[in-house]
Amino acid sequence: EKGGYATFMEKEINDQPHAVADTLLGRTDSEGRLALDELHISEDELRAVTKIVIVACGTAAYAGMVAKYAIEHWTRIPVEVELAHEFRYRDPVIDEHTLVVSISQSGETMDTLMAVRHAKELGARTVSICNTHGSTIPRESDAVLYTHAGPEIAVASTKAFLAQITASYILGLYLASLRGTAYGEDAAQVMAELATVPGKIEELLTRMDRVKEIAYYMADSRSVLFLGRHVGYPVAMEGALKLKELAYIHAEGFAAGELKHGPIALIEPGQPVFVIVPSPGVEHGLHDKVVSNIQEIRARGARTLVIAEEGDEDVVPFADEVIRVPHTSPLLAPLLTVVPLQVFALHLSTAKGLDVDQPRNLAKSVTVE
Ligand code: F6R
């Protein structure tokens, strides 16, 4: 049942090309237009949406943070992302024109379920992005967009994360085309580019040997930092979460722009820092800004483990290790850049002799508060 792999997590990491491909399947009609029939909210209601609030926990919340960048860009609808357990005990500004999108692999996370109920009481329309057919959250939501990652057994979420990003992008493109924004017209093009991602993940997975070696020689690390910017910022936090959960190592993800506002004080000689570099094609010169950050922390002795696109030579002079990912447009990059971080946490956990699939103190679905 582990398909020849030593652990479910390893199998699930290797399932990721299918998780993305299957989540894309059947979402476009013969002319390449998006067709979402599981969405039982009228087009008029969707056109009237003035705000989107994404509620989720843990890895699913990081998928939501990635989605915010894309959905705002494509739809011009303001998107907030909130941890479900914070949302449910607040007095959030929600009305019938708010679309509350929950993201949950299990569909049974109590905090997320209660946030959805809270949103409904306040009059919002609710959409569930979920991996488990017939689970509670989709049953209680007005509409559901299933991710097709297949069952996720390992406690630490991997393939569900990629499927969640994919599904929320489909939702964003659908809303953009309904509202006739400029990006709505590009929806087919983005969908076509998304369709190339599974092949790129496949290719990336064939060259993870060096990441495994790095994990083994870093098995004694006491703290690892992760820096990212733009959509790479939630990826940094997800990389840190994987390492905490699986290897019980202190880890933190930061927005690279925050460095000089505090975290740079943590940099001392030998401190390992993963940096997720935006693709050179990203707007506003963000790529060069992150390259400068690598230079700054390296000058203070950090060991820099740099995740950068193929052909990006700017990072080379400041990197102790360069982990290459295939080229994609900037918004799709998280579907690739997170993979080496998952593989790193998996091997570091293995190197420490820990239980990869069942980390201590954790349950696969958190059905209590
Ligand atoms: C991290 C992890 C958790 C879950 C979170 C939400 O690896 O697995 O952070 O992502 O508990 O779970 P779901 O998606 O089932 O609501």
Side-chain angles (χ1 to χ4, degrees):
E1 58 194 356
K2 291 178 191 157
Y5 294 100
T7 60
F8 282 110
M9 187 187 173
E10 191 173 1
K11 172 180 184 284
E12 289 162 9
I13 288 173
N14 283 281
D15 272 351
Q16 293 186 118
H18 299 288
V20 173
D22 293 350
T23 298
L24 287 169
L25 215 64
R27 255 86 200 230
T28 41
D29 64 18
S30 52
E31 276 124 60
R33 275 190 317 242
L34 290 166
L36 303 180
D37 7 274
E38 308 115 309
L39 212 55
H40 303 295
I41 301 178
S42 75
E43 295 195 353
D44 284 341
E45 278 175 298
L46 289 173
R47 277 193 206 95
V49 165
T50 54
K51 180 166 92 165
I52 295 171
V53 179
I54 299 177
V55 292
C57 303
T59 292
Y62 296 142
M65 286 182 64
V66 170
K68 173 187 163 90
Y69 288 84
I71 297 177
E72 283 196 343
H73 182 66
W74 292 329
T75 66
R76 313 311 302 147
I77 305 170
V79 180
E80 292 170 16
V81 185
E82 190 159 359
L83 294 168
H85 35 90
E86 288 296 320
F87 176 87
R88 65 178 282 206
Y89 291 118
R90 288 201 309 117
D91 184 16
V93 182
I94 301 288
D95 63 20
E96 70 274 22
H97 298 306
T98 310
L99 187 66
V100 172
V101 179
S102 64
I103 306 180
S104 174
Q105 188 286 128
S106 62
E108 300 295 349
T109 300
M110 181 61 74
D111 289 315
T112 309
L113 173 61
M114 296 310 277
V116 170
R117 287 186 183 159
H118 190 42
K120 285 178 80 175
E121 276 163 26
L122 295 168
R125 295 282 152 277
T126 53
V127 176
S128 154
I129 291 179
C130 184
N131 198 48
T132 310
H133 274 262
S135 57
T136 311
I137 295 172
R139 274 195 279 118
E140 294 206 11
S141 301
D142 296 317
V144 52
L145 187 55
Y146 280 110
T147 50
H148 298 298
E152 195 179 60
I153 310 290
V155 165
S157 188
T158 53
K159 62 179 182 173
F161 178 70
L162 271 70
Q164 286 160 351
I165 293 173
T166 305
S168 49
Y169 279 20
I170 294 169
L171 180 65
L173 291 169
Y174 178 69
L175 291 173
S177 40
L178 267 187
R179 297 165 75 94
T181 67
Y183 295 102
E185 287 161 26
D186 293 343
Q189 191 198 318
V190 181
M191 288 297 286
E193 204 195 337
L194 271 167
T196 68
V197 168
K200 292 175 184 179
I201 302 170
E202 197 101 53
E203 186 202 327
L204 179 58
L205 285 166
T206 63
R207 35 189 170 91
M208 287 291 101
D209 292 354
R210 183 63 191 150
V211 174
K212 180 175 178 180
E213 283 171 19
I214 298 169
Y216 272 78
Y217 76 66
M218 281 178 63
D220 295 335
S221 304
R222 298 201 47 224
S223 160
V224 181
L225 305 180
F226 295 77
L227 290 181
R229 190 155 189 164
H230 191 252
V231 286
Y233 167 40
V235 171
M237 291 195 285
E238 170 62 5
L241 179 61
K242 289 285 94 87
L243 201 59
K244 290 175 210 178
E245 284 183 289
L246 290 155
Y248 317 153
I249 292 176
H250 171 258
E252 262 191 273
F254 299 108
E258 272 295 287
L259 254 188
K260 59 183 168 305
H261 301 289
I264 198 163
L266 289 169
I267 305 297
E268 57 186 9
Q271 170 67 53
V273 186
F274 275 92
V275 186
I276 298 112
V277 181
S279 10
V282 74
E283 293 173 304
H284 311 301
L286 291 184
H287 167 268
D288 295 359
K289 291 182 201 297
V290 173
V291 173
S292 304
N293 292 142
I294 306 172
Q295 189 173 5
E296 282 156 14
I297 59 173
R298 185 86 166 335
R300 289 163 177 80
R303 267 200 77 236
T304 54
L305 307 146
V306 175
I307 299 177
E309 202 172 283
E310 268 152 17
D312 180 354
E313 297 306 318
D314 298 346
V315 300
V316 174
F318 315 115
D320 290 296
E321 297 283 348
V322 184
I323 300 155
R324 294 289 181 189
V325 295
H327 169 77
T328 48
S329 62
L331 287 171
L332 305 194
L335 297 166
L336 300 172
T337 52
V338 75
V339 173
L341 301 179
Q342 299 167 335
V343 171
F344 175 73
L346 163 80
H347 288 301
L348 215 149
S349 174
T350 310
K352 290 179 77 166
L354 301 174
D355 186 340
V356 170
D357 288 335
Q358 289 283 341
R360 68 185 178 199
N361 307 342
L362 292 169
K364 181 63 185 162
S365 67
V366 184
T367 54
V368 291
E369 224 190 310

